[in-house]
Amino acid sequence: MIEKCQMESKNIINNNIEFINKYFPHCITETKDGEIVKKVVNFELLKQEFSDIIDETKEKYTLNWPGKKNALVLANKAIKKTLRPIKTESILFDTTKNLYIEGDNLDALKLLQESYLNKVKMIYIDPPYNTGKDFVYKDNFAGDKNNELEASGQIDEEGGVLVANLETNGRYHSDWLNMMYPRLKLARNLLKDDGVIFISIDDNEIHNLRKIADEVFGESNFITQFIWNSSTGGGIRSKYVNQNHEYALCYAKNKASLPMFFAPLSEEAIKQYNRADKKGKYREKDFAWKTNSLNKNQIYGIKAPDGSIIYPKKGYLYRFVESKFLESLNNDEVVFKETSTGPLVDENGNRANYNIYIKKYLDDGLGAPTSVVPKSLVGISNIGTEEIKNLFNDTVFNNPKSTKYLQYLFEIGNLKNEILLDFFSGSCSSAHTIMKLNVEDGGNRRFIMVQIPEETDEKSEAYKAGYKTICEIGKERIRRAGTKILEENKDKEGIENLDIGFRVFKVDSSNMKDVYYNPDEIRQDNLFDMVSNIKEDRTDLDLLFQVLLDSGVELTLPIEEKQIAGKKVYFVDGNVLAACFEDNLTEEFVTELAKCEDLLKVVFRDSSFGSDDSRINVEQIFKQYSPDTQIRVI
């Protein structure tokens, strides 16, 4: 059976309704919208499935604001858009595993829902702080469309617009929340089960961001609110307080699956390692610790130097189980000290004469991160500006996050050989950081950058230097940073394997004409125009990548172009998918293609078949030579 590709973003609402229908079919009813029958959820029945108590109260603890319901609908609404590859702006297009997406990040997140669902290890974003001077995405922009804004990318065909959010705006906080809420909901879907998100923010919206993040990720998945001492507090004196810190909110997708956090030690922490033995510097750590845990495996007797047997008193446990303690004792990593105080007792419940300590060695190198980010490790915000100056010989971007600061966060979040997503990527500090980390430890981290083509101010240094949009700055930074990293590490083993490339994509309208989605619109007088349902200005690569999005295939898989019976065929990741967009496909071609081994999926143009008989013939050929291959058309 030949299937038709959907060629639009994932319809999250339909997926949710189908899920409910599967487990609670009695909670689904049907209604007619014109000639279309739609499934609708009976929420009153559904609520009763989750509780034997009927809650009639109206007041609940929640964060509400004007437009919240619309923001949720917007997150779930499918779009007829695509990502068009731009090879001329890319670096190492054929081999890189990195992506740069230019366009509205709401659209980009929707388009990535199939291909990167549950595949992103870490998300880092540095959104507008809503200081009264920032631009925000104002989705569902009301009023007539402005051709000039459309042309510049500041307004899309559905009315999404990038506008200044002034403090005088009556919906000042609401507009910011309406921007963030749907994007966070979509972003969460992309995180792996053990994934984590860091969100940079300051005091303007931290209170609101905490509440919507609690709602999106779950209050139980809150990790911490990191505090970064980002400036010295100099400059013009504030009327009341000089604000010299920012935050990084941290949430897990599923805290139970999240591995432990570790971070490099700060200078202050290193000073605590004030003892030494033949293994190196160490500090002494109490072996008994206060806890509410009832793990009996960490309560046992230890023989002290005076022969007494000592135990942790009530409310305390030993840090290790007995077998691990004995191993540490045998390795000379245990210290007994006489004391008249402490959390240990003898077998009679009297205060023990000794306390026990474990040696914690400096060479371990990592410890649990503190909620206050050590300034000695990451510095302050001006480092980010200096990095821009060093790359561009000018300040083409103001106050980006420094790679030192981001490296600290990325290391905490256990980002090793997986994907980082940044959908407010700005000057691409995060992409720069990924390349630096990979060259330092030989890692294979990948990045996905997303940025709207926000125009630079005509008076800015960026504009004077020739950068008309922030996207131009971001892409150029990756190019320059990659080149610089290679030059500085040219003698390092394995440097030739460092991925400094990226595939550039731009969010655009679908490659398909409207009739593709609404075939009933074909009229007798426009049949000639509808010979092809594909827009005339679209290339085979445009079509291929929309097929990849529709198929849920990653956009960085290797692509090989081959000739089969005189027709051009694209093979993706070996034989995972083969696509041919040429017309007049012959039986010879179809037979030769069907004989390819392990071919999972093939895609053709609908117009490739001259008649229904030709389509049936294709099915029969594949049934004979490759019965497990899925056949689809656009």
Side-chain angles (χ1 to χ4, degrees):
M1 181 71 179
I2 297 179
E3 299 178 4
K4 189 172 182 179
C5 297
Q6 296 299 311
M7 305 297 271
E8 64 181 16
S9 70
K10 184 176 182 179
N11 192 316
I12 298 174
I13 294 176
N14 286 350
N15 287 1
N16 292 340
I17 289 175
E18 288 303 320
F19 178 84
I20 293 171
N21 189 42
K22 179 179 179 180
Y23 294 100
F24 309 102
H26 62 289
C27 297
I28 300 293
T29 59
E30 291 186 346
T31 184
K32 289 193 75 173
D33 181 5
E35 296 300 316
I36 301 173
V37 178
K38 291 185 175 181
K39 292 180 179 178
V40 179
V41 180
N42 186 323
F43 289 102
E44 293 304 316
L45 283 177
L46 186 63
K47 281 193 288 187
Q48 292 178 31
E49 291 293 333
F50 292 92
S51 176
D52 57 0
I53 300 173
I54 299 176
D55 183 7
E56 300 291 350
T57 62
K58 298 293 184 183
E59 296 181 343
K60 300 181 185 298
Y61 178 76
T62 184
L63 174 65
N64 276 313
W65 64 88
K68 182 179 181 181
K69 289 182 180 179
N70 288 335
L72 180 57
V73 170
L74 187 65
N76 293 334
K77 183 181 177 183
I79 56 172
K80 296 179 177 67
K81 295 192 177 185
T82 189
L83 296 176
R84 299 183 65 186
I86 313 295
K87 293 189 74 170
T88 55
E89 297 181 16
S90 305
I91 298 293
L92 303 175
F93 185 93
D94 293 332
T95 58
T96 184
K97 299 297 182 183
N98 301 317
L99 297 178
Y100 186 98
I101 300 174
E102 183 173 327
D104 188 327
N105 53 17
L106 183 66
D107 292 337
L109 289 168
K110 288 184 177 185
L111 292 168
L112 297 175
Q113 289 296 300
E114 293 283 2
S115 297
Y116 291 90
L117 183 71
N118 301 321
K119 291 183 179 179
V120 174
K121 171 63 177 178
M122 182 184 294
I123 295 172
Y124 170 78
I125 55 172
D126 187 10
Y129 285 4
N130 213 23
T131 61
K133 302 174 184 177
D134 295 315
F135 284 89
V136 298
Y137 300 86
K138 191 171 183 179
D139 305 301
N140 288 335
F141 184 72
D144 295 332
K145 295 176 183 177
N146 183 303
N147 292 332
E148 184 177 343
L149 285 175
E150 277 191 41
S152 69
Q154 290 181 273
I155 184 171
D156 62 27
E157 61 186 21
E158 294 183 357
V161 68
L162 192 65
V163 297
N165 196 30
L166 305 177
E167 289 179 287
T168 52
N169 176 14
R171 292 166 58 102
Y172 174 63
H173 291 290
S174 297
D175 283 348
W176 189 85
L177 289 167
N178 285 329
M179 175 189 72
M180 293 298 297
Y181 189 64
R183 289 162 173 83
L184 290 177
K185 284 190 68 68
L186 290 168
R188 182 187 178 278
N189 297 337
L190 303 180
L191 278 176
K192 298 177 66 174
D193 198 48
D194 63 348
V196 64
I197 183 170
F198 293 95
I199 310 172
S200 285
I201 200 70
D202 70 1
D203 281 321
N204 286 284
E205 292 291 355
I206 182 65
H207 51 302
N208 287 326
L209 182 59
R210 277 287 300 268
K211 289 183 176 68
I212 61 171
D214 281 347
E215 185 171 321
V216 171
F217 295 96
E219 194 172 351
S220 61
N221 288 316
F222 173 68
I223 303 297
T224 195
Q225 184 171 307
F226 286 104
I227 301 169
W228 174 36
N229 188 2
S230 56
S231 73
T232 58
I236 300 174
R237 187 183 184 280
S238 170
K239 184 176 181 181
Y240 300 111
V241 175
N242 279 328
Q243 294 293 115
N244 65 344
H245 68 277
E246 295 182 13
Y247 308 100
L249 275 187
C250 181
Y251 283 81
K253 183 173 185 178
N254 181 0
K255 201 172 183 178
S257 301
L258 191 69
M260 289 184 65
F261 278 5
F262 294 98
L265 297 175
S266 66
E267 292 180 4
E268 293 78 10
I270 290 174
K271 291 177 183 178
Q272 298 178 31
Y273 291 76
N274 52 8
R275 292 174 172 80
D277 61 15
K278 60 184 180 181
K279 296 179 183 177
K281 289 185 176 182
Y282 69 88
R283 66 182 177 91
E284 294 175 349
K285 191 170 186 177
D286 279 301
F287 188 55
W289 63 301
K290 195 171 186 177
T291 176
N292 293 323
S293 173
L294 300 176
N295 190 347
K296 294 182 179 179
N297 291 329
Q298 289 170 251
I299 301 175
Y300 48 88
I302 293 177
K303 187 174 183 179
D306 63 0
S308 62
I309 306 298
I310 54 181
Y311 300 84
K313 71 180 183 181
K314 186 176 180 179
Y316 285 79
L317 293 178
Y318 289 139
R319 293 187 180 274
F320 307 153
V321 296
E322 187 172 14
S323 58
K324 187 174 180 181
F325 168 78
L326 293 175
E327 181 182 341
S328 297
L329 183 66
N330 186 56
N331 291 333
D332 190 25
E333 295 171 356
V334 177
V335 178
F336 291 90
K337 287 188 177 181
E338 289 191 67
T339 181
S340 58
T341 62
L344 303 178
V345 295
D346 62 21
E347 53 263 74
N348 299 315
N350 299 315
R351 180 80 68 182
N353 295 324
Y354 287 86
N355 201 0
I356 307 174
Y357 299 88
I358 291 291
K359 295 179 181 179
K360 184 75 173 175
Y361 287 92
L362 177 60
D363 285 347
D364 291 346
L366 297 171
T370 59
S371 58
V372 178
V373 179
K375 186 191 291 187
S376 61
L377 287 178
V378 304
I380 58 178
S381 60
N382 63 0
I383 294 177
T385 303
E386 288 301 315
E387 288 177 329
I388 287 288
K389 284 183 179 179
N390 290 337
L391 284 173
F392 290 88
N393 299 315
D394 208 341
T395 308
V396 298
F397 196 92
N398 292 314
N399 302 315
K401 295 296 182 290
S402 72
T403 57
K404 290 181 68 174
Y405 176 61
L406 295 183
Q407 181 169 337
Y408 182 80
L409 296 181
F410 296 174
E411 288 179 338
I412 285 175
N414 298 295
L415 184 64
K416 302 293 184 184
N417 297 311
E418 295 168 298
I419 298 173
L420 169 90
L421 168 64
D422 182 350
F423 54 90
F424 286 96
S425 62
S427 72
C428 289
S429 295
S430 49
H432 189 169
T433 306
I434 291 297
M435 293 187 291
K436 285 183 65 176
L437 276 170
N438 283 342
V439 78
E440 285 182 15
D441 63 10
N444 190 30
R445 302 166 185 85
R446 296 175 283 159
F447 62 75
I448 302 174
M449 302 287 105
V450 185
Q451 177 63 40
I452 196 169
E454 179 182 341
E455 294 181 353
T456 55
D457 190 301
E458 292 185 7
K459 298 178 181 178
S460 67
E461 296 302 315
Y463 188 90
K464 295 173 185 176
Y467 302 105
K468 301 301 187 290
T469 69
I470 290 178
C471 290
E472 293 178 12
I473 297 172
K475 287 178 284 189
E476 183 62 17
R477 178 175 186 173
I478 302 174
R479 298 183 191 107
R480 293 188 181 211
T483 300
K484 184 176 182 181
I485 289 171
L486 288 180
E487 289 175 351
E488 293 176 344
N489 297 274
K490 58 186 177 183
D491 296 328
K492 189 166 186 175
E493 185 177 354
I495 189 65
E496 66 277 2
N497 298 319
L498 180 67
D499 187 356
I500 62 166
F502 55 98
R503 285 182 176 176
V504 175
F505 293 87
K506 293 187 180 181
V507 175
D508 205 336
S509 61
S510 172
N511 296 311
M512 318 309 294
K513 296 176 181 177
D514 288 343
V515 69
Y516 178 88
Y517 303 101
N518 304 297
D520 56 325
E521 291 181 0
I522 298 179
R523 303 185 311 274
Q524 192 69 29
D525 61 353
N526 69 354
L527 278 175
F528 184 77
D529 293 335
M530 298 306 167
V531 171
S532 172
N533 54 20
I534 298 168
K535 293 175 180 174
E536 286 73 14
D537 64 335
R538 302 306 163 96
T539 67
D540 284 356
L541 271 184
D542 290 331
L543 299 177
L544 177 63
F545 279 102
Q546 188 163 4
V547 166
L548 297 187
L549 288 169
D550 188 77
S551 303
V553 176
E554 289 189 23
L555 302 180
T556 55
L557 293 179
I559 299 168
E560 186 178 5
E561 183 183 319
K562 297 182 180 179
Q563 290 286 324
I564 294 181
K567 302 293 185 181
K568 181 168 60 178
V569 183
Y570 294 97
F571 286 86
V572 179
D573 197 25
N575 286 358
V576 169
L577 182 147
C580 179
F581 303 116
E582 298 202 31
D583 290 325
N584 304 315
L585 300 183
T586 64
E587 184 174 324
E588 177 193 2
F589 164 79
V590 175
T591 302
E592 192 172 337
L593 180 61
K595 289 181 178 179
C596 293
E597 294 183 3
D598 303 320
L599 192 55
L600 298 182
K601 186 181 297 184
V602 294
V603 181
F604 306 106
R605 284 193 189 214
D606 203 8
S607 60
S608 297
F609 311 110
S611 64
D612 289 341
D613 289 341
S614 299
R615 292 166 65 103
I616 293 171
N617 194 32
V618 170
E619 291 183 61
Q620 295 304 317
I621 293 172
F622 271 91
K623 280 183 180 179
Q624 179 180 354
Y625 294 104
S626 186
D628 295 328
T629 301
Q630 181 186 13
I631 311 169
R632 306 185 78 188
V633 295
I634 60 172

